[in-house]
Amino acid sequence: MASVDTLIALEKQGTSARIYLDALTGLRGIAALWVALWHLWGFAGRPAYGLDVAGLHLDLTPLVRTGWAGVDIFFVLSGFVLGLAFCQAWLNNRPPVKPAEYFRRRLLRVLPAYYAQIIVLIVVTLLLGAGFPPVGDVLAQLLMVHNIFGSPATQLNPVFWTLPVEFDFYLLLPLMALSITPPRWYRLLLGAMLLVLVYRYTMFHFVLRDMPVGLKSWWLNQLPGRLDQFVAGMLAAWLFSLAREKGYEASMLYQWRRGLLVAGLSGFAALAWYIHALQPIGAVNALGLTYWGGHWSLFVWNSLAGLSIAMVVLALALGIRWANMLLANRSVIYLGLISYSLYLWHFPVIKWMHQAHLPRLFENAPLFNSLVWAVLPVLLISSLSYWYVERPFLRIRHRQPKS
């Protein structure tokens, strides 16, 4: 089996901008792991979770219950990584991005592991005697249009909702890329944030107000409801490219990188704490409004989170030694390499493990008990998906097409 260094070399070969950053691969792995931990926490009954250290009790429940925000990190990272190739082309450091090659690489990156899982899930459904899923629902998921012609209940895997959101962004990126040129780049960000605010506010008040929370979440998170996060990542890529063009150490951004990291982490932590403590999802606040009942945070939380994450991504890209020690070590990088398969497979595996009614080894720690039983199967199946489905197609994806 190839070493992590060999896998990293394959990853570097596949970066269309020819810029590979270990810390961002590690961040991708942490994001996938965070989403998995959140789902694991849900299956464990959503218990309070904390640690006692040196006589102090650390409440880690906010950290666990906001694991869904790992998806926000994915969206910002997509905007950054994919935007880099266009930024390098604008600065004449790379040839212009060819649309046919761009879409070929995207399809080979996303579809093989996705299609393989759909086949496995259908086979498992048949083996369990549930019958073949409705053909129309399966076809919609195969074509990545289940965000329009489907619903949360028709998905084979609950995490599938993010894939058409990403795919729609892939389709829009070449057009949006035309707007990231001085002095117009800020207009794209402001325009995206305004569009998202109008979309979410209008959809909620005129379409979704009386619908179940599941449908509110489904429709508010479709594009353009998350466009601002992709754009925040794109603009971080543009600023990074400008700093790289001038030479990192000569750029003002390089001098500010630690401040950017602190500001981004602080902003994101404050937003997560707010959701947990001041505006708990499902609980009524002092004004009598829940988050899903129309509180102002419903319309701007993701925009603010996207800006905070973009600052973190930009700081990591510019290089911070201690952050690289945490995110660019071999273990975390490996999680980043298998993060797509980890994201796809964690939910069904955790669900199957939960349905198996495995023994409770730790009666007073349900989350830890679930973690003990689920972590190895999730990592094993995710690794198998990466090695035997993703990796062969990544090799094909990285081949230069004949001119």
Side-chain angles (χ1 to χ4, degrees), residues 86-126:
F86 292 92
C87 294
Q88 293 301 301
W90 297 322
L91 296 171
N92 297 315
N93 294 327
R94 295 290 304 165
V97 178
K98 297 179 180 179
E101 175 62 8
Y102 163 75
F103 287 113
R104 182 187 78 90
R105 293 169 65 87
R106 287 294 89 209
L107 293 175
L108 288 172
R109 179 67 185 93
V110 173
L111 295 184
Y114 174 58
Y115 283 171
Q117 187 183 62
I118 287 177
I119 293 171
V120 172
L121 293 179
I122 290 176
V123 170
V124 171
T125 300
L126 293 174

mmCIF file of all heavy atoms in Angstrom, residues 86-126:
data_model
loop_
_atom_site.group_PDB
_atom_site.id
_atom_site.type_symbol
_atom_site.label_atom_id
_atom_site.label_comp_id
_atom_site.label_asym_id
_atom_site.label_seq_id
_atom_site.Cartn_x
_atom_site.Cartn_y
_atom_site.Cartn_z
ATOM 1 N N PHE A 86 -8.283 29.896 -11.385
ATOM 2 C CA PHE A 86 -8.698 31.086 -12.115
ATOM 3 C C PHE A 86 -7.842 32.292 -11.720
ATOM 4 O O PHE A 86 -7.467 33.111 -12.571
ATOM 5 C CB PHE A 86 -10.177 31.372 -11.855
ATOM 6 C CG PHE A 86 -11.106 30.358 -12.448
ATOM 7 C CD1 PHE A 86 -11.518 29.258 -11.715
ATOM 8 C CD2 PHE A 86 -11.566 30.490 -13.743
ATOM 9 C CE1 PHE A 86 -12.372 28.313 -12.246
ATOM 10 C CE2 PHE A 86 -12.420 29.556 -14.311
ATOM 11 C CZ PHE A 86 -12.824 28.461 -13.549
ATOM 12 N N CYS A 87 -7.514 32.397 -10.437
ATOM 13 C CA CYS A 87 -6.669 33.497 -9.977
ATOM 14 C C CYS A 87 -5.289 33.428 -10.615
ATOM 15 O O CYS A 87 -4.735 34.457 -11.045
ATOM 16 C CB CYS A 87 -6.530 33.454 -8.453
ATOM 17 S SG CYS A 87 -8.053 33.771 -7.555
ATOM 18 N N GLN A 88 -4.715 32.244 -10.682
ATOM 19 C CA GLN A 88 -3.408 32.086 -11.296
ATOM 20 C C GLN A 88 -3.455 32.420 -12.784
ATOM 21 O O GLN A 88 -2.503 32.966 -13.347
ATOM 22 C CB GLN A 88 -2.896 30.657 -11.091
ATOM 23 C CG GLN A 88 -2.583 30.315 -9.637
ATOM 24 C CD GLN A 88 -1.524 31.235 -9.056
ATOM 25 O OE1 GLN A 88 -0.404 31.312 -9.549
ATOM 26 N NE2 GLN A 88 -1.892 31.970 -8.012
ATOM 27 N N ALA A 89 -4.559 32.110 -13.420
ATOM 28 C CA ALA A 89 -4.703 32.461 -14.835
ATOM 29 C C ALA A 89 -4.795 33.975 -15.019
ATOM 30 O O ALA A 89 -4.192 34.539 -15.940
ATOM 31 C CB ALA A 89 -5.947 31.783 -15.411
ATOM 32 N N TRP A 90 -5.510 34.658 -14.136
ATOM 33 C CA TRP A 90 -5.624 36.116 -14.230
ATOM 34 C C TRP A 90 -4.269 36.786 -14.060
ATOM 35 O O TRP A 90 -3.999 37.821 -14.663
ATOM 36 C CB TRP A 90 -6.583 36.647 -13.165
ATOM 37 C CG TRP A 90 -7.981 36.162 -13.304
ATOM 38 C CD1 TRP A 90 -8.674 35.970 -14.466
ATOM 39 C CD2 TRP A 90 -8.853 35.785 -12.247
ATOM 40 N NE1 TRP A 90 -9.919 35.491 -14.199
ATOM 41 C CE2 TRP A 90 -10.067 35.366 -12.845
ATOM 42 C CE3 TRP A 90 -8.744 35.753 -10.864
ATOM 43 C CZ2 TRP A 90 -11.160 34.933 -12.114
ATOM 44 C CZ3 TRP A 90 -9.834 35.328 -10.120
ATOM 45 C CH2 TRP A 90 -11.013 34.924 -10.740
ATOM 46 N N LEU A 91 -3.427 36.205 -13.205
ATOM 47 C CA LEU A 91 -2.118 36.786 -12.939
ATOM 48 C C LEU A 91 -1.056 36.292 -13.934
ATOM 49 O O LEU A 91 0.129 36.556 -13.756
ATOM 50 C CB LEU A 91 -1.688 36.445 -11.509
ATOM 51 C CG LEU A 91 -2.572 37.047 -10.412
ATOM 52 C CD1 LEU A 91 -2.195 36.476 -9.049
ATOM 53 C CD2 LEU A 91 -2.474 38.566 -10.402
ATOM 54 N N ASN A 92 -1.517 35.549 -14.941
ATOM 55 C CA ASN A 92 -0.628 35.027 -15.983
ATOM 56 C C ASN A 92 0.417 34.045 -15.452
ATOM 57 O O ASN A 92 1.485 33.889 -16.048
ATOM 58 C CB ASN A 92 0.077 36.180 -16.723
ATOM 59 C CG ASN A 92 -0.906 37.072 -17.456
ATOM 60 O OD1 ASN A 92 -1.823 36.580 -18.124
ATOM 61 N ND2 ASN A 92 -0.745 38.375 -17.317
ATOM 62 N N ASN A 93 0.098 33.394 -14.336
ATOM 63 C CA ASN A 93 0.987 32.364 -13.806
ATOM 64 C C ASN A 93 0.611 30.972 -14.297
ATOM 65 O O ASN A 93 1.382 30.029 -14.139
ATOM 66 C CB ASN A 93 0.954 32.373 -12.278
ATOM 67 C CG ASN A 93 1.540 33.648 -11.710
ATOM 68 O OD1 ASN A 93 2.463 34.218 -12.281
ATOM 69 N ND2 ASN A 93 0.996 34.115 -10.593
ATOM 70 N N ARG A 94 -0.578 30.847 -14.855
ATOM 71 C CA ARG A 94 -1.045 29.584 -15.412
ATOM 72 C C ARG A 94 -1.816 29.874 -16.682
ATOM 73 O O ARG A 94 -2.345 30.980 -16.865
ATOM 74 C CB ARG A 94 -1.980 28.861 -14.425
ATOM 75 C CG ARG A 94 -1.343 28.416 -13.129
ATOM 76 C CD ARG A 94 -0.364 27.280 -13.343
ATOM 77 N NE ARG A 94 -0.988 26.152 -13.993
ATOM 78 C CZ ARG A 94 -0.315 25.152 -14.558
ATOM 79 N NH1 ARG A 94 0.999 25.172 -14.557
ATOM 80 N NH2 ARG A 94 -0.936 24.152 -15.129
ATOM 81 N N PRO A 95 -1.919 28.911 -17.604
ATOM 82 C CA PRO A 95 -2.749 29.110 -18.790
ATOM 83 C C PRO A 95 -4.210 29.291 -18.390
ATOM 84 O O PRO A 95 -4.623 28.874 -17.301
ATOM 85 C CB PRO A 95 -2.551 27.800 -19.573
ATOM 86 C CG PRO A 95 -1.300 27.200 -19.043
ATOM 87 C CD PRO A 95 -1.211 27.619 -17.609
ATOM 88 N N PRO A 96 -5.000 29.896 -19.238
ATOM 89 C CA PRO A 96 -6.429 30.062 -18.928
ATOM 90 C C PRO A 96 -7.099 28.712 -18.681
ATOM 91 O O PRO A 96 -6.721 27.700 -19.263
ATOM 92 C CB PRO A 96 -6.989 30.729 -20.197
ATOM 93 C CG PRO A 96 -5.809 31.402 -20.826
ATOM 94 C CD PRO A 96 -4.628 30.539 -20.517
ATOM 95 N N VAL A 97 -8.090 28.714 -17.797
ATOM 96 C CA VAL A 97 -8.812 27.488 -17.472
ATOM 97 C C VAL A 97 -9.721 27.123 -18.642
ATOM 98 O O VAL A 97 -10.548 27.925 -19.081
ATOM 99 C CB VAL A 97 -9.643 27.674 -16.190
ATOM 100 C CG1 VAL A 97 -10.435 26.409 -15.885
ATOM 101 C CG2 VAL A 97 -8.734 28.045 -15.024
ATOM 102 N N LYS A 98 -9.559 25.898 -19.147
ATOM 103 C CA LYS A 98 -10.402 25.418 -20.245
ATOM 104 C C LYS A 98 -11.661 24.780 -19.665
ATOM 105 O O LYS A 98 -11.568 23.841 -18.861
ATOM 106 C CB LYS A 98 -9.638 24.398 -21.086
ATOM 107 C CG LYS A 98 -8.405 24.962 -21.762
ATOM 108 C CD LYS A 98 -7.682 23.882 -22.558
ATOM 109 C CE LYS A 98 -6.434 24.448 -23.238
ATOM 110 N NZ LYS A 98 -5.697 23.399 -24.004
ATOM 111 N N PRO A 99 -12.840 25.277 -20.040
ATOM 112 C CA PRO A 99 -14.082 24.764 -19.450
ATOM 113 C C PRO A 99 -14.235 23.250 -19.562
ATOM 114 O O PRO A 99 -14.641 22.590 -18.593
ATOM 115 C CB PRO A 99 -15.176 25.496 -20.234
ATOM 116 C CG PRO A 99 -14.520 26.772 -20.675
ATOM 117 C CD PRO A 99 -13.091 26.408 -20.962
ATOM 118 N N ALA A 100 -13.907 22.672 -20.718
ATOM 119 C CA ALA A 100 -14.075 21.227 -20.897
ATOM 120 C C ALA A 100 -13.204 20.453 -19.923
ATOM 121 O O ALA A 100 -13.649 19.472 -19.301
ATOM 122 C CB ALA A 100 -13.749 20.827 -22.337
ATOM 123 N N GLU A 101 -11.958 20.874 -19.755
ATOM 124 C CA GLU A 101 -11.051 20.205 -18.835
ATOM 125 C C GLU A 101 -11.491 20.431 -17.394
ATOM 126 O O GLU A 101 -11.413 19.520 -16.544
ATOM 127 C CB GLU A 101 -9.628 20.714 -19.041
ATOM 128 C CG GLU A 101 -8.605 20.184 -18.050
ATOM 129 C CD GLU A 101 -8.422 18.677 -18.107
ATOM 130 O OE1 GLU A 101 -8.975 18.031 -19.019
ATOM 131 O OE2 GLU A 101 -7.739 18.142 -17.223
ATOM 132 N N TYR A 102 -11.953 21.619 -17.097
ATOM 133 C CA TYR A 102 -12.424 21.940 -15.751
ATOM 134 C C TYR A 102 -13.574 21.017 -15.347
ATOM 135 O O TYR A 102 -13.561 20.416 -14.259
ATOM 136 C CB TYR A 102 -12.869 23.404 -15.714
ATOM 137 C CG TYR A 102 -13.735 23.794 -14.539
ATOM 138 C CD1 TYR A 102 -13.197 23.963 -13.272
ATOM 139 C CD2 TYR A 102 -15.103 23.994 -14.707
ATOM 140 C CE1 TYR A 102 -13.994 24.328 -12.198
ATOM 141 C CE2 TYR A 102 -15.909 24.361 -13.649
ATOM 142 C CZ TYR A 102 -15.352 24.521 -12.390
ATOM 143 O OH TYR A 102 -16.148 24.875 -11.333
ATOM 144 N N PHE A 103 -14.574 20.854 -16.235
ATOM 145 C CA PHE A 103 -15.718 20.012 -15.903
ATOM 146 C C PHE A 103 -15.348 18.529 -15.901
ATOM 147 O O PHE A 103 -15.888 17.749 -15.100
ATOM 148 C CB PHE A 103 -16.872 20.280 -16.862
ATOM 149 C CG PHE A 103 -17.557 21.593 -16.618
ATOM 150 C CD1 PHE A 103 -17.492 22.617 -17.545
ATOM 151 C CD2 PHE A 103 -18.265 21.823 -15.439
ATOM 152 C CE1 PHE A 103 -18.114 23.830 -17.315
ATOM 153 C CE2 PHE A 103 -18.885 23.036 -15.196
ATOM 154 C CZ PHE A 103 -18.812 24.038 -16.135
ATOM 155 N N ARG A 104 -14.422 18.121 -16.764
ATOM 156 C CA ARG A 104 -13.971 16.726 -16.762
ATOM 157 C C ARG A 104 -13.354 16.378 -15.415
ATOM 158 O O ARG A 104 -13.650 15.334 -14.816
ATOM 159 C CB ARG A 104 -12.946 16.495 -17.876
ATOM 160 C CG ARG A 104 -12.451 15.050 -17.977
ATOM 161 C CD ARG A 104 -11.318 14.938 -18.980
ATOM 162 N NE ARG A 104 -10.062 15.419 -18.412
ATOM 163 C CZ ARG A 104 -9.195 14.644 -17.760
ATOM 164 N NH1 ARG A 104 -9.447 13.357 -17.582
ATOM 165 N NH2 ARG A 104 -8.070 15.144 -17.272
ATOM 166 N N ARG A 105 -12.524 17.257 -14.886
ATOM 167 C CA ARG A 105 -11.859 17.013 -13.618
ATOM 168 C C ARG A 105 -12.860 16.998 -12.459
ATOM 169 O O ARG A 105 -12.755 16.198 -11.529
ATOM 170 C CB ARG A 105 -10.781 18.076 -13.380
ATOM 171 C CG ARG A 105 -9.627 17.983 -14.367
ATOM 172 C CD ARG A 105 -8.728 19.207 -14.250
ATOM 173 N NE ARG A 105 -8.074 19.269 -12.955
ATOM 174 C CZ ARG A 105 -6.916 18.666 -12.663
ATOM 175 N NH1 ARG A 105 -6.299 17.955 -13.583
ATOM 176 N NH2 ARG A 105 -6.378 18.778 -11.465
ATOM 177 N N ARG A 106 -13.838 17.883 -12.511
ATOM 178 C CA ARG A 106 -14.844 17.919 -11.454
ATOM 179 C C ARG A 106 -15.671 16.634 -11.443
ATOM 180 O O ARG A 106 -15.962 16.070 -10.377
ATOM 181 C CB ARG A 106 -15.775 19.127 -11.646
ATOM 182 C CG ARG A 106 -15.166 20.466 -11.322
ATOM 183 C CD ARG A 106 -14.840 20.613 -9.847
ATOM 184 N NE ARG A 106 -13.521 20.143 -9.489
ATOM 185 C CZ ARG A 106 -13.177 19.655 -8.323
ATOM 186 N NH1 ARG A 106 -14.062 19.517 -7.369
ATOM 187 N NH2 ARG A 106 -11.956 19.257 -8.077
ATOM 188 N N LEU A 107 -16.086 16.172 -12.614
ATOM 189 C CA LEU A 107 -16.903 14.965 -12.684
ATOM 190 C C LEU A 107 -16.143 13.740 -12.198
ATOM 191 O O LEU A 107 -16.691 12.909 -11.460
ATOM 192 C CB LEU A 107 -17.394 14.743 -14.126
ATOM 193 C CG LEU A 107 -18.389 15.776 -14.660
ATOM 194 C CD1 LEU A 107 -18.696 15.501 -16.128
ATOM 195 C CD2 LEU A 107 -19.678 15.772 -13.846
ATOM 196 N N LEU A 108 -14.875 13.623 -12.591
ATOM 197 C CA LEU A 108 -14.070 12.487 -12.168
ATOM 198 C C LEU A 108 -13.748 12.552 -10.679
ATOM 199 O O LEU A 108 -13.490 11.514 -10.051
ATOM 200 C CB LEU A 108 -12.773 12.424 -12.972
ATOM 201 C CG LEU A 108 -12.920 11.981 -14.434
ATOM 202 C CD1 LEU A 108 -11.604 12.136 -15.188
ATOM 203 C CD2 LEU A 108 -13.381 10.522 -14.504
ATOM 204 N N ARG A 109 -13.779 13.728 -10.118
ATOM 205 C CA ARG A 109 -13.505 13.855 -8.682
ATOM 206 C C ARG A 109 -14.713 13.478 -7.841
ATOM 207 O O ARG A 109 -14.588 12.835 -6.795
ATOM 208 C CB ARG A 109 -13.092 15.310 -8.353
ATOM 209 C CG ARG A 109 -12.806 15.554 -6.868
ATOM 210 C CD ARG A 109 -11.565 14.786 -6.473
ATOM 211 N NE ARG A 109 -11.275 14.861 -5.050
ATOM 212 C CZ ARG A 109 -11.692 13.974 -4.156
ATOM 213 N NH1 ARG A 109 -12.490 12.961 -4.537
ATOM 214 N NH2 ARG A 109 -11.356 14.069 -2.895
ATOM 215 N N VAL A 110 -15.903 13.867 -8.288
ATOM 216 C CA VAL A 110 -17.084 13.756 -7.441
ATOM 217 C C VAL A 110 -17.903 12.483 -7.700
ATOM 218 O O VAL A 110 -18.357 11.830 -6.752
ATOM 219 C CB VAL A 110 -17.981 14.996 -7.638
ATOM 220 C CG1 VAL A 110 -19.299 14.835 -6.904
ATOM 221 C CG2 VAL A 110 -17.254 16.250 -7.170
ATOM 222 N N LEU A 111 -18.091 12.125 -8.950
ATOM 223 C CA LEU A 111 -19.087 11.114 -9.271
ATOM 224 C C LEU A 111 -18.723 9.669 -8.926
ATOM 225 O O LEU A 111 -19.593 8.916 -8.472
ATOM 226 C CB LEU A 111 -19.461 11.205 -10.761
ATOM 227 C CG LEU A 111 -20.159 12.494 -11.188
ATOM 228 C CD1 LEU A 111 -20.557 12.410 -12.649
ATOM 229 C CD2 LEU A 111 -21.372 12.774 -10.320
ATOM 230 N N PRO A 112 -17.479 9.194 -9.144
ATOM 231 C CA PRO A 112 -17.217 7.761 -8.914
ATOM 232 C C PRO A 112 -17.570 7.276 -7.513
ATOM 233 O O PRO A 112 -18.307 6.282 -7.361
ATOM 234 C CB PRO A 112 -15.709 7.638 -9.200
ATOM 235 C CG PRO A 112 -15.432 8.719 -10.182
ATOM 236 C CD PRO A 112 -16.304 9.863 -9.755
ATOM 237 N N ALA A 113 -17.071 7.924 -6.470
ATOM 238 C CA ALA A 113 -17.370 7.488 -5.107
ATOM 239 C C ALA A 113 -18.855 7.655 -4.791
ATOM 240 O O ALA A 113 -19.455 6.837 -4.065
ATOM 241 C CB ALA A 113 -16.521 8.268 -4.106
ATOM 242 N N TYR A 114 -19.457 8.692 -5.335
ATOM 243 C CA TYR A 114 -20.884 8.952 -5.126
ATOM 244 C C TYR A 114 -21.734 7.859 -5.768
ATOM 245 O O TYR A 114 -22.629 7.281 -5.136
ATOM 246 C CB TYR A 114 -21.205 10.325 -5.710
ATOM 247 C CG TYR A 114 -22.657 10.725 -5.717
ATOM 248 C CD1 TYR A 114 -23.396 10.774 -4.543
ATOM 249 C CD2 TYR A 114 -23.274 11.107 -6.906
ATOM 250 C CE1 TYR A 114 -24.726 11.174 -4.556
ATOM 251 C CE2 TYR A 114 -24.606 11.514 -6.922
ATOM 252 C CZ TYR A 114 -25.327 11.540 -5.752
ATOM 253 O OH TYR A 114 -26.630 11.944 -5.770
ATOM 254 N N TYR A 115 -21.435 7.531 -7.025
ATOM 255 C CA TYR A 115 -22.190 6.492 -7.715
ATOM 256 C C TYR A 115 -21.967 5.125 -7.071
ATOM 257 O O TYR A 115 -22.895 4.323 -6.964
ATOM 258 C CB TYR A 115 -21.801 6.444 -9.189
ATOM 259 C CG TYR A 115 -22.408 7.547 -10.028
ATOM 260 C CD1 TYR A 115 -22.000 7.750 -11.341
ATOM 261 C CD2 TYR A 115 -23.388 8.391 -9.515
ATOM 262 C CE1 TYR A 115 -22.551 8.751 -12.125
ATOM 263 C CE2 TYR A 115 -23.941 9.398 -10.281
ATOM 264 C CZ TYR A 115 -23.516 9.579 -11.586
ATOM 265 O OH TYR A 115 -24.075 10.568 -12.351
ATOM 266 N N ALA A 116 -20.738 4.867 -6.660
ATOM 267 C CA ALA A 116 -20.452 3.585 -6.009
ATOM 268 C C ALA A 116 -21.281 3.436 -4.738
ATOM 269 O O ALA A 116 -21.817 2.356 -4.446
ATOM 270 C CB ALA A 116 -18.959 3.476 -5.696
ATOM 271 N N GLN A 117 -21.408 4.520 -3.980
ATOM 272 C CA GLN A 117 -22.203 4.431 -2.759
ATOM 273 C C GLN A 117 -23.681 4.230 -3.072
ATOM 274 O O GLN A 117 -24.359 3.459 -2.378
ATOM 275 C CB GLN A 117 -22.028 5.673 -1.888
ATOM 276 C CG GLN A 117 -22.730 5.494 -0.544
ATOM 277 C CD GLN A 117 -22.664 6.713 0.338
ATOM 278 O OE1 GLN A 117 -23.179 7.758 -0.022
ATOM 279 N NE2 GLN A 117 -22.028 6.576 1.483
ATOM 280 N N ILE A 118 -24.181 4.902 -4.084
ATOM 281 C CA ILE A 118 -25.588 4.721 -4.447
ATOM 282 C C ILE A 118 -25.865 3.252 -4.759
ATOM 283 O O ILE A 118 -26.871 2.681 -4.315
ATOM 284 C CB ILE A 118 -25.948 5.611 -5.650
ATOM 285 C CG1 ILE A 118 -26.027 7.077 -5.205
ATOM 286 C CG2 ILE A 118 -27.277 5.185 -6.270
ATOM 287 C CD1 ILE A 118 -26.313 8.052 -6.324
ATOM 288 N N ILE A 119 -24.974 2.611 -5.511
ATOM 289 C CA ILE A 119 -25.147 1.191 -5.841
ATOM 290 C C ILE A 119 -25.159 0.343 -4.577
ATOM 291 O O ILE A 119 -26.023 -0.524 -4.392
ATOM 292 C CB ILE A 119 -24.025 0.729 -6.800
ATOM 293 C CG1 ILE A 119 -24.167 1.424 -8.156
ATOM 294 C CG2 ILE A 119 -24.057 -0.789 -6.980
ATOM 295 C CD1 ILE A 119 -22.992 1.194 -9.086
ATOM 296 N N VAL A 120 -24.199 0.585 -3.678
ATOM 297 C CA VAL A 120 -24.119 -0.198 -2.445
ATOM 298 C C VAL A 120 -25.373 0.010 -1.594
ATOM 299 O O VAL A 120 -25.949 -0.953 -1.049
ATOM 300 C CB VAL A 120 -22.854 0.173 -1.645
ATOM 301 C CG1 VAL A 120 -22.867 -0.483 -0.266
ATOM 302 C CG2 VAL A 120 -21.603 -0.243 -2.399
ATOM 303 N N LEU A 121 -25.831 1.247 -1.465
ATOM 304 C CA LEU A 121 -27.005 1.524 -0.640
ATOM 305 C C LEU A 121 -28.257 0.871 -1.213
ATOM 306 O O LEU A 121 -29.112 0.376 -0.456
ATOM 307 C CB LEU A 121 -27.207 3.032 -0.501
ATOM 308 C CG LEU A 121 -26.137 3.794 0.289
ATOM 309 C CD1 LEU A 121 -26.452 5.284 0.321
ATOM 310 C CD2 LEU A 121 -26.005 3.250 1.702
ATOM 311 N N ILE A 122 -28.376 0.845 -2.535
ATOM 312 C CA ILE A 122 -29.528 0.181 -3.148
ATOM 313 C C ILE A 122 -29.466 -1.324 -2.899
ATOM 314 O O ILE A 122 -30.485 -1.963 -2.568
ATOM 315 C CB ILE A 122 -29.586 0.485 -4.655
ATOM 316 C CG1 ILE A 122 -29.966 1.959 -4.878
ATOM 317 C CG2 ILE A 122 -30.596 -0.423 -5.357
ATOM 318 C CD1 ILE A 122 -29.945 2.381 -6.338
ATOM 319 N N VAL A 123 -28.281 -1.914 -3.023
ATOM 320 C CA VAL A 123 -28.127 -3.349 -2.764
ATOM 321 C C VAL A 123 -28.477 -3.678 -1.316
ATOM 322 O O VAL A 123 -29.188 -4.654 -1.040
ATOM 323 C CB VAL A 123 -26.682 -3.801 -3.088
ATOM 324 C CG1 VAL A 123 -26.437 -5.225 -2.594
ATOM 325 C CG2 VAL A 123 -26.416 -3.722 -4.587
ATOM 326 N N VAL A 124 -27.996 -2.858 -0.386
ATOM 327 C CA VAL A 124 -28.312 -3.082 1.028
ATOM 328 C C VAL A 124 -29.815 -2.965 1.261
ATOM 329 O O VAL A 124 -30.412 -3.770 2.000
ATOM 330 C CB VAL A 124 -27.548 -2.082 1.915
ATOM 331 C CG1 VAL A 124 -28.037 -2.148 3.361
ATOM 332 C CG2 VAL A 124 -26.051 -2.359 1.862
ATOM 333 N N THR A 125 -30.440 -1.984 0.620
ATOM 334 C CA THR A 125 -31.893 -1.813 0.754
ATOM 335 C C THR A 125 -32.632 -3.053 0.275
ATOM 336 O O THR A 125 -33.581 -3.529 0.916
ATOM 337 C CB THR A 125 -32.355 -0.580 -0.047
ATOM 338 O OG1 THR A 125 -31.708 0.586 0.451
ATOM 339 C CG2 THR A 125 -33.856 -0.395 0.059
ATOM 340 N N LEU A 126 -32.187 -3.621 -0.854
ATOM 341 C CA LEU A 126 -32.824 -4.828 -1.391
ATOM 342 C C LEU A 126 -32.598 -6.019 -0.469
ATOM 343 O O LEU A 126 -33.508 -6.821 -0.231
ATOM 344 C CB LEU A 126 -32.278 -5.123 -2.786
ATOM 345 C CG LEU A 126 -32.644 -4.107 -3.876
ATOM 346 C CD1 LEU A 126 -31.922 -4.426 -5.186
ATOM 347 C CD2 LEU A 126 -34.153 -4.088 -4.097
#
